[in-house]
Amino acid sequence: MESTMKEMRGGESVLDLSPRATVGGGVEDVYGEDCATEDQLVTPWTYSVASGYSLLRDPHHNKGLAFTEKERDSHYLRGLLPPAVISQQLQEKKSMNNIRKYQVPLQKYMSMMELQERNERLFYKLLIDNVEELLPIVYTPTVGEACQKYGSIFRRPQGLYISLKEKGKVLDVLKNWPERSIQVIVVTDGERILGLGDLGCQGMGIPVGKLALYTALGGVRPSACLPVSIDVGTNNEKLLKDEFYIGLRQRRATGQEYADLLHEFMCAVKQNYGEKVLIQFEDFANHNAFTLLAKYGTSHLVFNDDIQGTASVVLAGIVAAFKLIGGTLADHRFLFLGAGEAGTGIAELIALEMSKQTKIPLEETRKKIWLVDSKGLIVSSRKDSLQHFKKPWAHDHEPVKDLLGAVKAIKPTVLIGSSGVGRTFTKEIIETVASLNEKPLIMALSNPTSQSECTAEEAYTWSQGRAIFASGSPFDPFEYNGKVFVPGQANNAYIFPGFGLGLVISGAIRVHDDMLLAASEALAKQVSDENYDKGLIYPPFSNIRKISANIAANVAAKAYELGVATRLPRPADLMKYAESCMYSPIYRSYR
Ligand SMILES: NC(=O)C1=CN([C@@H]2O[C@H](COP(=O)(O)OP(=O)(O)OC[C@H]3O[C@@H](n4cnc5c(N)ncnc54)[C@H](OP(=O)(O)O)[C@@H]3O)[C@@H](O)[C@H]2O)C=CC1
Ligand SMILES: CC(=O)C(=O)O
Ligand SMILES: [Mg+2]
């Protein structure tokens, strides 16, 4: 048999990426055992039932003091635990009490990570039951600080590190991961971590955090999730000089060297896990993000969260906001600060939806949308020097050098911040937008909180309480003139967990823009009158599992409609099916 997986030469495995390589999909001799001859080396796999001391140290199965008397007898735990037997509820109460005692968010983060490594089900129980309180800890903003200090707080690896050192061996690296059946991979190369820039290998905190949300918010089993950090070096001088830095101590590889490692990774993933594994690209710099998405979008199940997930969540917020500000997409003028992944991704999905609603060609609907980058308004005279993803937004207009000038020239009804630079929506800018609109929609998407284009307080105060405001990182409710305003969180965390679940349950093999629209539509429908009364354009995260199931059902329905779903027959009630597939963190009883 011609092995497409690897050829063993002198004990070394060599990944075969030649055109004859085919898709594994789980039916081939994945581990190269059947085709190996006697002089070739194979791995002696063993599987055992965890018991006794090792059971207590296995985070997937450990229940701590919640092991029953019977379980303590049958699993050799007698004497290894103190006599008390307590419930998962009491464990949860104790853990929350302990976490709440920490004043510093990073300490809370470390405490949560320690719990995840000690008792996975309890970690998810906490996260699911206390989602609004713990999301800012395991996710933005605290995860940003965690990534910056990842080297210092690093205890145990929580995902796979694939560096240039592993070139030629990526398939073997994947096989080192203890789980075989992976459904979702979140991968970063660490070059654009939130709005914090290049954090190299320490970007791992982001895939770990995103996948924790895949499970807690979207119900994908933790064992089916794989966080990956691709390390091609870093251009962050501070990290390169940091003695605790955990990544390759070299400047970033680019060009062919970069492309080769990424290609080897993409091929190895498909070979090892089949074509239904979802690969979510996260926090790549835009000069690679668009290229990777275009390159692998036709051969793999790939999704770029920063481009596509963000677009879907923002479109949902805008559509929901129409109940408060009136009009339809075509009635509004959109202005963005920031024309990168988030900005152009959102702009494109708005234009697409507008085109579908009005039957006006996409080229025309794009003209309702304007973007400002670090050099000013994107206009046609700049077209030749623009990166390819900005070119569709180069409309005819005289040059405008900054956002304030653009606000005055374009007169937007919707202002969106996707620049990664904090406090760029100044008092003058917000006052100008507020002078143009009775109810301006202002979205400050940049993360973490330090990079938000403005705070909730600034948006409400400078607009005299008239702005409808949402931000990427959470802000507390703010009281202005006796009224309490609750800012919504415009974050792709609303979308990707349910979106991914929808792909997984339908066995989708490709992502299509219509699925993003389906997810967006499902989210917008979840905003209730009670939410609107508070000025919210997103439903609360406390209801996120129901929201995710709705999104999953809509996405799966679209996958079947488009003919890219492979799980057949199609379940009649996709909402019920999505809910039935969702992971529950409740302890299981051991025989
Ligand atoms: N809320 C959410 O769900 C999400 C939020 N984000 C946040 O959005 C931010 C941007 O992410 P992303 O789009 O991927 O980043 P990119 O690097 O792709 O894009 C950033 C854009 O902002 C522009 N920019 C930077 N500084 C300024 C400035 N001072 N004035 C005007 N424009 C400026 C850049 O201009 P130029 O091209 O000229 O360099 C570029 O166009 C990040 O903070 C990220 O955390 C991202 C994804 C999801
Ligand atoms: C939320 C997110 O994906 C980002 O800020 O990059
Ligand atoms: Mg991101």
Side-chain angles (χ1 to χ4, degrees), residues 109 146-154 158 161 202 204-205 246:
Y109 175 88
C147 288
Q148 288 174 312
K149 299 175 181 164
Y150 214 69
S152 299
I153 64 173
F154 179 85
Q158 295 167 292
Y161 292 88
Q202 301 193 165
M204 177 59 106
I246 55 171

Side-chain angles (χ1 to χ4, degrees), residues 315-317 319-320 519-528 532 537-539:
L315 177 62
V319 168
S520 189
E521 181 193 56
L523 176 58
K525 277 190 187 153
Q526 302 298 308
V527 190
S528 67
Y532 285 126
I537 53 172
Y538 292 100

Side-chain angles (χ1 to χ4, degrees), residues 10-75:
E12 288 233 344
S13 67
V14 179
L15 183 68
D16 179 5
L17 298 176
S18 65
R20 71 194 163 86
T22 57
V23 177
V27 291
E28 292 185 11
D29 177 17
V30 179
Y31 307 114
E33 289 172 348
D34 301 340
C35 64
T37 55
E38 273 190 4
D39 57 341
Q40 291 176 319
L41 307 177
V42 298
T43 310
W45 295 110
T46 62
Y47 297 95
S48 62
V49 177
S51 71
Y53 192 76
S54 62
L55 179 55
L56 294 180
R57 267 150 190 76
D58 174 357
H60 305 304
H61 300 106
N62 180 29
K63 299 197 272 187
L65 290 181
F67 280 111
T68 61
E69 299 289 356
K70 188 169 162 282
E71 286 169 334
R72 291 174 192 215
D73 279 332
S74 51
H75 293 277

Side-chain angles (χ1 to χ4, degrees), residues 192 194-195 286 306 310 313 337-343 372-375 387 390 418-421 424 445-447 451 472 490-492:
R192 196 286 277 143
L194 307 177
N286 60 38
D306 301 297
T310 314
V313 75
L337 181 70
E341 293 165 69
V372 171
D373 66 8
S374 64
K375 297 186 179 66
Q387 288 156 286
K390 292 181 184 170
S418 52
S419 64
V421 186
T424 34
L445 300 178
S446 294
N447 297 314
Q451 311 310 110
N491 194 295
N492 50 34

Side-chain angles (χ1 to χ4, degrees), residues 13-220:
S13 67
V14 179
L15 183 68
D16 179 5
L17 298 176
S18 65
R20 71 194 163 86
T22 57
V23 177
V27 291
E28 292 185 11
D29 177 17
V30 179
Y31 307 114
E33 289 172 348
D34 301 340
C35 64
T37 55
E38 273 190 4
D39 57 341
Q40 291 176 319
L41 307 177
V42 298
T43 310
W45 295 110
T46 62
Y47 297 95
S48 62
V49 177
S51 71
Y53 192 76
S54 62
L55 179 55
L56 294 180
R57 267 150 190 76
D58 174 357
H60 305 304
H61 300 106
N62 180 29
K63 299 197 272 187
L65 290 181
F67 280 111
T68 61
E69 299 289 356
K70 188 169 162 282
E71 286 169 334
R72 291 174 192 215
D73 279 332
S74 51
H75 293 277
Y76 306 95
L77 295 170
R78 285 276 162 213
L80 299 181
L81 290 165
V85 177
I86 66 172
S87 66
Q88 195 180 20
Q89 281 70 21
L90 195 60
Q91 288 181 316
E92 180 177 358
K93 183 177 173 189
K94 185 175 75 172
S95 300
M96 284 308 295
N97 283 349
N98 289 339
I99 285 168
R100 284 176 184 141
K101 280 188 195 130
Y102 291 118
Q103 296 300 314
V104 179
L106 191 62
Q107 286 177 327
K108 292 180 193 253
Y109 175 88
M110 289 166 68
S111 171
M112 282 299 283
M113 292 303 108
E114 186 275 328
L115 181 58
Q116 189 176 21
E117 287 160 25
R118 179 163 51 83
N119 183 336
E120 190 175 82
R121 282 183 184 268
L122 187 56
F123 168 83
Y124 283 111
K125 182 99 173 61
L126 253 67
L127 194 48
I128 291 168
D129 292 348
N130 306 275
V131 65
E132 291 191 320
E133 182 175 351
L134 294 177
L135 211 55
I137 303 301
V138 300
Y139 194 55
T140 182
T142 310
V143 72
E145 186 186 357
C147 288
Q148 288 174 312
K149 299 175 181 164
Y150 214 69
S152 299
I153 64 173
F154 179 85
R155 291 152 73 110
R156 281 188 195 173
Q158 295 167 292
L160 270 181
Y161 292 88
I162 299 177
S163 78
L164 288 170
K165 282 191 201 172
E166 281 71 54
K167 190 167 162 16
K169 301 178 217 161
V170 175
L171 188 58
D172 299 303
V173 174
L174 293 183
K175 287 176 188 169
N176 288 343
W177 186 249
E179 304 292 343
R180 294 280 158 265
S181 176
I182 297 297
Q183 291 173 325
V184 184
I185 292 174
V186 176
V187 57
T188 187
D189 73 355
E191 192 169 2
R192 196 286 277 143
I193 294 299
L194 307 177
L196 301 171
D198 183 351
L199 298 184
C201 179
Q202 301 193 165
M204 177 59 106
I206 295 294
V208 168
K210 292 268 176 186
L211 284 164
L213 304 200
Y214 257 105
T215 299
L217 278 51
V220 178

